[in-house]
Amino acid sequence: MMNLVILGSTGSIGRQALDIVRNNLDSIRVVGLSAHTDVERLLSQAREFRPHVVTISDEACKGDPRLAELGEMGIRVIYGPEALMAIARLSEADCVLNALVGAVGLFASYATLESGKRLALANKESLVVGGDLLMPLASDGQLMPVDSEHGAIFQCLQGEQVADVARLWLTCSGGPFRSYTREELEHATCEATLSHPTWHMGRKITVDSATLMNKGLEVIEAHHLFGLDYDHISVVVHPQSCIHSMVEFRDGSVKAHLGATDMRIPIQYALSYPQRWKAPVEPLDFTRIGGLTFEAPDTGTFRCLALAVEAGRAGGTCPAVLNAANEVAVDAFLHGRCGFCDIDNVIETALGAHSREAVSSLEQLREVDLRTRTFTRSLLARRV
């Protein structure tokens, strides 16, 4: 029986993880849940799964009278951003699924690995910002990728030697604006941006998918997870989203991982590894797929991908700056404070203003993150 903590249980990945728990109650017990502000959904989850502890990272929720019910159920409640690290270290937990959004997830990932638990990682920003600190902490099989692309690569590498890998191919749907010109992107609305053609995700990651920043973050993540340099990691646009990623070997062979476009599959594998549990979704029907197509990404139009790879190559604190500027710009776009193309413009400016440092500590990364957010907000304020 695995004792599981889910960070970000009220979000898209967290809710799908709980669906997996419902189907595998003989294998998983939920001992901890966390939310930011969604008290009502957290209460519903707590009633069903009866965890030992819940955390609410927004301390403004502390006086919410609805939370008294948790005490009546015998569930301990802790508040604030530091509570995420505390629940990640929960002594009775075996595994932590980190489904938090943004750089805040880094600190919980660090606490999980440091305490020797399995980390099922859906928070890609953890490795983008702090991969230099996290990877030395992770033993074999301790850090399991939840992203469909990295989960696919992980599975393709089973039984293989990384020294035999010639290239990792990260597939990309292309998002809702795949064929747009830069001029057309200037008029992209928030509503259109959030209409992803194949995946149903949270708002922030859906915007990142439309700008191709999501794929850029995944390139950096793949570099840390699999130990390949950036010359051997490529992105290919695959609109059908049937092939989740591929590994090319030096003898010319290519392994591809195919599956339904449902995040429950990679979430479940990250929890069940090295076992495989019954599929939580209907299997692919290859007679109905039709054609599979591939094309190169247009990095001149979708500049975020190129900026991310550039930041990854520079290394050190540059990816932390990239991520912080992107988080601020995406939030501004979602709230109508900037245009779609302002996102990559302010990221480029933030990177250009930064002096690279070697990564040395969580505290250093926190300071770089905060400084970049302040700088990016000032840039956006001048654009309004």
Side-chain angles (χ1 to χ4, degrees):
M1 177 71 72
M2 171 187 286
N3 288 334
L4 177 66
V5 168
I6 301 178
L7 304 180
S9 65
T10 59
S12 174
I13 295 294
R15 296 196 305 272
Q16 291 176 85
L18 288 173
D19 191 37
I20 291 165
V21 174
R22 289 185 188 96
N23 293 326
N24 296 277
L25 291 173
D26 57 339
S27 300
I28 309 177
R29 177 191 298 114
V30 174
V31 296
L33 297 171
S34 90
H36 183 53
T37 58
D38 194 345
V39 170
E40 194 57 46
R41 182 167 276 151
L42 182 65
L43 281 171
S44 176
Q45 293 173 349
R47 292 183 196 111
E48 179 177 1
F49 295 99
R50 297 299 173 117
H52 301 174
V53 182
V54 302
T55 70
I56 301 172
S57 55
D58 187 346
E59 291 187 279
C61 296
K62 202 167 186 177
D64 192 318
R66 292 174 294 175
L67 295 172
E69 184 181 345
L70 293 171
E72 294 167 4
M73 289 188 280
I75 298 171
R76 182 162 61 99
V77 188
I78 48 180
Y79 297 90
E82 299 303 320
L84 294 170
M85 296 183 74
I87 197 171
R89 292 191 175 105
L90 196 65
S91 60
E92 56 265 47
D94 306 307
C95 177
V96 176
L97 170 62
N98 187 343
L100 299 171
V101 177
V104 66
L106 166 62
F107 304 94
S109 290
Y110 190 93
T112 301
L113 293 175
E114 191 179 42
S115 61
K117 307 179 194 310
R118 174 180 291 189
L119 173 62
L121 187 61
N123 174 255
K124 58 174 60 67
E125 294 88 352
S126 288
L127 286 176
V128 170
V129 176
D132 291 340
L133 298 179
L134 293 184
M135 292 311 298
L137 296 176
S139 58
D140 288 346
Q142 187 184 359
L143 200 171
M144 294 296 299
V146 170
D147 272 347
S148 61
E149 295 82 359
H150 302 94
I153 291 170
F154 180 87
Q155 293 180 63
C156 289
L157 287 173
Q158 295 302 295
E160 304 287 356
Q161 300 296 319
V162 173
D164 291 331
V165 175
R167 184 164 302 279
L168 303 179
W169 288 95
L170 292 169
T171 56
C172 169
S173 71
F177 306 135
R178 180 168 57 91
S179 60
Y180 276 41
T181 65
R182 186 73 181 180
E183 291 71 26
E184 289 171 322
L185 285 181
E186 294 281 356
H187 306 288
T189 66
C190 186
E191 181 181 9
T193 302
L194 294 174
S195 300
H196 196 280
T198 53
W199 293 98
H200 300 287
M201 307 173 289
R203 286 161 61 84
K204 192 267 183 183
I205 193 174
T206 303
V207 176
D208 283 349
S209 180
T211 64
L212 296 198
M213 176 57 84
N214 188 52
K215 206 53 50 178
L217 299 179
E218 289 176 0
V219 169
I220 300 173
E221 191 178 8
H223 163 73
H224 286 293
L225 281 170
F226 305 112
L228 269 73
D229 65 43
Y230 290 93
D231 290 336
H232 298 280
I233 305 173
S234 295
V235 171
V236 60
V237 177
H238 170 51
Q240 295 81 19
S241 298
C242 179
I243 296 176
H244 298 309
S245 276
M246 300 172 283
V247 177
E248 177 185 339
F249 297 92
R250 62 181 180 173
D251 65 355
S253 301
V254 179
K255 283 187 178 180
H257 178 280
L258 289 77
T261 54
D262 192 308
M263 280 303 299
R264 288 176 295 175
I265 296 175
I267 296 168
Q268 178 171 288
Y269 187 70
L271 300 178
S272 70
Y273 175 81
Q275 299 177 327
R276 289 187 184 272
W277 298 339
K278 183 178 178 181
V281 298
E282 289 297 316
L284 282 178
D285 182 347
F286 286 93
T287 65
R288 300 178 63 183
I289 288 177
L292 302 178
T293 60
F294 307 91
E295 59 194 63
D298 180 357
T299 54
T301 299
F302 298 90
R303 299 174 60 239
C304 283
L305 175 55
L307 289 169
V309 174
E310 177 186 336
R313 288 183 186 275
T317 52
C318 292
V321 171
L322 171 94
N323 182 74
N326 181 64
E327 286 190 27
V328 171
V330 169
D331 183 72
F333 174 71
L334 286 169
H335 290 89
R337 297 195 299 270
C338 76
F340 187 88
C341 291
D342 288 325
I343 296 173
D344 58 47
N345 287 330
V346 297
I347 292 169
E348 183 177 39
T349 303
L351 284 169
H354 178 67
S355 296
R356 179 194 180 278
E357 306 166 26
V359 173
S360 59
S361 68
L362 288 175
E363 292 70 26
Q364 172 208 30
L365 291 174
R366 191 196 303 269
E367 193 277 330
V368 169
D369 179 88
L370 292 172
R371 189 172 68 227
T372 303
R373 290 172 190 272
T374 300
F375 179 81
T376 307
R377 290 189 185 103
S378 71
L379 283 178
L380 289 166
R382 292 199 294 269
R383 289 171 179 268
V384 175

